[in-house]
Amino acid sequence: MRKPLQTLWLTVIVVLLYVPILSVILASLANTRYMRFPHRNWSIGAYTDAFSQHETLVLHLASLKVAALVTVFALVLATLGAMAFARYDWRGRSIYQKAIVLPIFFPQPVLGLALLLFFSALGITPSWKTAVFAHLVWILPIVTLVISIRLFGYDPAQEDAARDLGATRWQVLKEVTLPHLAPGLISGGLFAFLLSWSNLPLSIFTTGADTTLPEWLFSRVATNYAPVVSAIAVIGTLASVAFGVVVLAALWIQRRASRQSSSASASISTS
Amino acid sequence: MIAADPQMTGTPADTQPALSLQGLSRRFGDTHALREVSLDIAEGEFFTIVGPSGSGKTTLLRILAGLDQPTTGTLLLRGKDVTGQPPNKRPTAMVFQSLALFDHRSVGQNVEFALKMRGIDAATRKARALELLDLVRLGPDYYGKAVTQCSGGERQRVALARALASDPEILFFDEPLSALDYRLRKTLEVELRSLQRRTGRTFVYITHSLEEAMVMSDRIGIMKDGQLVQVGTPSDIYDRPRDRFVARFMGEVNILQIRDEHLPELNSPLPGFADGHLILRPEALHTDGQGIGIKVTVQERFQLGSRVQLHLDTPAGLMIAEQPASCALQPGDEAQFHFDPAQAHRVTE
């Protein structure tokens, strides 16, 4: 009795999640400015347009540049911050821990405007670099939380033990701390990249003359829609999916390689 | 004649202590965790530091292992000053209270860790790891197991094998058995002692359980408030505790104040006992015989296998006596107990 209902429920959820994405793909295959379905003429003209336009590359590169830098800064700063929260007891720790999460609750458009005012007060011209800073304000707390969870469930005596067994500080990091933090770093990094890659409200206010992919999509959907907009959206989605797949594949290969090398060494010594 | 030999005034290699602690102190802010601890631990000795929690024993062990540095004082390892040297440069290894096994690695990888850090090749590492697992009575099939799959006792053995892998001159133990159940703890105490005999290594062990210390140690140091209050063999400490703190730490004892107004017999001048306290073991109280007599009322009776323990209400307060199981006294009974002051140990503090 339960099984069919469960299946139905799961199907409904999956359909609700993916129909919008599917409809964008369908819209990109039309050759009219007005979304109408079913299409009278199916066409991949939008894609050939998208790939022939230099703008497609520029938009993707701008978003990639911002997202990649946000990921690097977020991972380094969040790891240090998570260490400070998990390892050390200092005055004001719990207050600081709450204060750092506050920007998440702030409506993003307001936060974006506030940051723009802040930059202009400092006399900084907004560009994609200020957008990196703006994204970090919002993304860093999230990544810090993700990595903290990993650090709290970890016995720091393992690092003492490694030192005691002859490891240098660098070897402790490489052999003990990083392998333990890896799952947190990977999910934190993925979060940082994807949240920055798809961010609109902060980018609108803080990129200045530069344009990221979501900004361009938003302005073209609002004012000057053509199937090429949907096509570029699909390309952008595929690019971020590809990023995720590459990360996961790299992890899988690495895990398999380390398993093989340990079993290889085992077979050498038993022979 | 020996004293006149100029060579004997130096320290010959075979009598040089494995570890020499010279006035080690450690302050954390205003807290004095260690105060001027001085001690020599001999080569091949099983030395146990016992103390209640907060007595500074873990701080002391961390300093000995190099995981913490003393605020003042010097630490010599086989005559060489190692104060300030990081733990990875010291020929010592530690078994941690939490064991601190690398939980993302297999049993074999844990045991091999010290060898890997020394750049030893995989085949040699594995051969050595299997030897060590055998030494701690774990079969070769444990080599590939995840440490998370091991039971408490097995994890204990893995931690021990891992510490032995680097062939350390001295092994440190930070209450590694405290989390185990009673029977397993007893088994591992005996195994640890026999392992120490077989390997001839110096073991420095800390625990809050004097019982554990008595079973395993050549010598015991009792710690209180960051100081070593008494150092001696188990029987030294059992028979001649230095003060009431050590005596109470030894287990159930009766402590009688000399010149107690409720115990007039103790006021009469006992030879050599002017004041202070008498430490009296429960087995030194008898229902018959000579010596000082005390009127008691039996409060409780507990069966301890072949003996019974009686809680006695006396004019000098609650006392504990141990009697053969044939003793007929029951709660509520009144009786006269005796003890021989020669069997009591006097302390001034």
Side-chain angles (χ1 to χ4, degrees):
Chain A
M1 283 308 283
R2 203 149 170 190
K3 264 273 153 67
L5 268 179
Q6 229 172 34
T7 319
L8 184 70
W9 177 237
L10 289 175
T11 317
V12 167
I13 287 178
V14 170
V15 166
L16 288 177
L17 277 175
Y18 284 92
V19 158
I21 296 173
L22 203 68
S23 60
V24 173
I25 296 175
L26 289 172
S28 72
L29 293 169
N31 66 349
T32 59
R33 295 195 45 186
Y34 304 101
M35 287 199 221
R36 205 186 301 138
F37 198 78
H39 301 319
R40 282 206 200 105
N41 299 304
W42 292 82
S43 155
I44 55 159
Y47 285 90
T48 52
D49 276 1
F51 280 111
S52 64
Q53 276 175 23
H54 182 59
E55 205 178 5
T56 315
L57 186 67
V58 172
L59 289 170
H60 279 83
L61 281 181
S63 278
L64 186 69
K65 203 158 56 177
V66 172
L69 277 173
V70 166
T71 307
V72 171
F73 281 119
L75 281 181
V76 172
L77 295 173
T79 306
L80 296 176
M83 291 257 188
F85 289 134
R87 291 285 173 83
Y88 303 100
D89 197 10
W90 34 282
R91 253 166 68 103
R93 179 175 70 160
S94 69
I95 292 171
Y96 196 78
Q97 214 165 353
K98 288 172 190 96
I100 198 180
V101 200
L102 222 55
I104 306 179
F105 298 103
F106 216 60
Q108 282 194 64
V110 184
L111 184 61
L113 179 63
L115 282 160
L116 178 62
L117 294 172
F118 168 71
F119 291 134
S120 54
L122 290 178
I124 299 169
T125 316
S127 69
W128 64 271
K129 292 170 200 150
T130 47
V132 170
F133 184 88
H135 285 191
L136 277 172
V137 169
W138 193 69
I139 289 171
L140 189 57
I142 299 172
V143 183
T144 308
L145 286 181
V146 170
I147 296 175
S148 296
I149 292 164
R150 204 58 209 164
L151 261 181
F152 273 109
Y154 166 59
D155 179 9
Q158 287 185 33
E159 291 175 6
D160 283 343
R163 289 279 283 160
D164 187 54
L165 292 166
T168 61
R169 285 192 188 281
W170 167 244
Q171 282 172 316
V172 171
L173 190 69
K174 181 171 150 275
E175 300 282 342
V176 180
T177 317
L178 283 181
H180 183 86
L181 282 186
L185 293 175
I186 289 159
S187 43
L190 270 174
F191 263 117
F193 187 90
L194 295 175
L195 288 176
S196 167
W197 175 261
S198 62
N199 186 281
L200 174 67
L202 294 170
S203 296
I204 281 185
F205 286 100
T206 55
T207 50
D210 296 319
T211 308
T212 62
L213 190 57
E215 280 181 90
W216 183 86
L217 289 172
F218 176 71
S219 67
R220 284 298 299 270
V221 167
T223 61
N224 189 14
Y225 177 80
V228 73
V229 175
S230 293
I232 290 182
V234 171
I235 294 169
T237 310
L238 289 178
S240 55
V241 169
F243 173 78
V245 169
V246 165
V247 169
L248 292 177
L251 286 175
W252 183 74
I253 289 167
Q254 192 197 355
R255 204 167 302 158
R256 217 176 61 146
S258 73
R259 201 174 302 150
Q260 262 171 358
S261 77
S262 69
S263 65
S265 71
S267 65
I268 288 167
S269 48
T270 46
S271 63
Chain B
M1 205 171 96
I2 287 167
D5 188 344
Q7 290 221 301
M8 294 304 289
T9 55
T11 321
D14 54 343
T15 58
Q16 174 176 300
L19 268 182
S20 183
L21 290 62
Q22 304 181 340
L24 292 179
S25 294
R26 179 69 168 102
R27 274 199 312 275
F28 297 103
D30 294 336
T31 324
H32 291 258
L34 282 185
R35 300 160 192 264
E36 298 279 324
V37 174
S38 294
L39 173 73
D40 281 349
I41 296 173
E43 200 72 56
E45 188 173 24
F46 198 128
F47 192 94
T48 303
I49 298 161
V50 194
S53 49
S55 59
K57 54 192 196 304
T58 298
T59 305
L60 179 59
L61 200 71
R62 288 179 65 82
I63 287 174
L64 299 186
L67 294 165
D68 193 8
Q69 297 300 336
T71 313
T72 55
T74 311
L75 177 65
L76 303 182
L77 201 151
R78 291 191 169 160
K80 213 178 80 206
D81 188 351
V82 293
T83 325
Q85 210 176 64
N88 53 325
K89 298 268 193 276
R90 297 189 186 191
T92 59
M94 178 149 161
V95 177
F96 289 78
Q97 182 166 27
S98 65
L99 300 184
L101 293 178
F102 305 130
D103 42 26
H104 59 286
R105 290 164 182 267
S106 67
V107 168
Q109 286 173 327
N110 265 276
V111 176
E112 285 175 8
F113 190 82
L115 305 173
K116 193 179 174 193
M117 294 303 106
R118 281 166 179 72
I120 291 164
D121 68 279
T124 317
R125 286 204 310 254
K126 178 164 185 184
R128 176 85 179 120
L130 289 173
E131 257 175 53
L132 288 161
L133 287 176
D134 185 55
L135 187 69
V136 297
R137 301 178 195 207
L138 289 175
D141 48 319
Y142 279 88
Y143 182 84
K145 257 195 185 178
V147 287
T148 43
Q149 286 176 289
C150 295
S151 71
E154 289 164 356
R155 290 167 62 84
Q156 197 68 56
R157 290 160 203 260
V158 174
L160 186 56
R162 184 180 71 173
L164 285 166
S166 58
D167 208 13
E169 292 171 20
I170 303 174
L171 264 107
F172 298 116
F173 296 86
D174 183 3
E175 305 201 39
L177 305 183
S178 57
L180 300 177
D181 66 73
Y182 182 80
R183 275 186 56 190
L184 188 55
R185 206 166 68 224
K186 290 284 141 202
T187 316
L188 287 171
E189 280 170 11
V190 174
E191 276 185 31
L192 210 55
R193 178 59 171 164
S194 88
L195 184 77
Q196 191 260 343
R197 288 230 169 88
R198 271 183 288 152
T199 55
R201 298 292 139 141
T202 309
F203 279 27
V204 180
Y205 193 100
I206 70 173
T207 176
H208 60 264
S209 155
L210 198 90
E211 193 195 346
E212 200 169 288
M214 300 286 275
V215 176
M216 298 188 288
S217 321
D218 294 314
R219 277 196 306 155
I220 295 173
I222 310 267
M223 257 192 121
K224 180 194 177 189
D225 299 334
Q227 285 173 309
L228 277 174
V229 292
Q230 189 172 7
V231 175
T233 62
S235 61
D236 276 348
I237 289 179
Y238 188 81
D239 296 333
R240 289 175 292 284
R242 203 191 70 104
D243 58 15
R244 281 178 289 162
F245 171 79
V246 176
R248 275 202 205 93
F249 212 75
M250 297 296 304
E252 283 172 306
V253 289
N254 298 302
I255 298 176
L256 300 177
Q257 195 178 352
I258 298 171
R259 298 191 187 285
D260 188 326
E261 58 197 276
H262 301 293
L263 212 58
E265 290 89 340
L266 285 183
N267 291 342
S268 56
L270 295 165
F273 291 170
D275 54 6
H277 291 81
L278 282 186
I279 310 290
L280 198 61
R281 306 231 145 260
E283 59 270 24
L285 279 167
H286 303 286
T287 45
D288 52 4
Q290 307 289 305
I292 296 169
I294 312 168
K295 268 199 167 55
V296 306
T297 311
V298 178
Q299 268 192 348
E300 303 277 3
R301 178 190 163 109
F302 300 104
Q303 198 73 35
L304 308 173
S306 63
R307 307 187 57 82
V308 288
Q309 188 186 69
L310 301 172
H311 285 196
L312 309 171
D313 191 15
T314 78
L318 182 78
M319 288 177 73
I320 295 166
E322 257 184 49
Q323 295 293 305
S326 57
C327 170
L329 289 171
Q330 292 298 329
D333 292 353
E334 290 190 1
Q336 176 87 6
F337 271 76
H338 302 270
F339 69 89
D340 178 1
Q343 284 188 13
H345 173 70
R346 190 185 70 112
V347 296
T348 50
E349 283 177 54

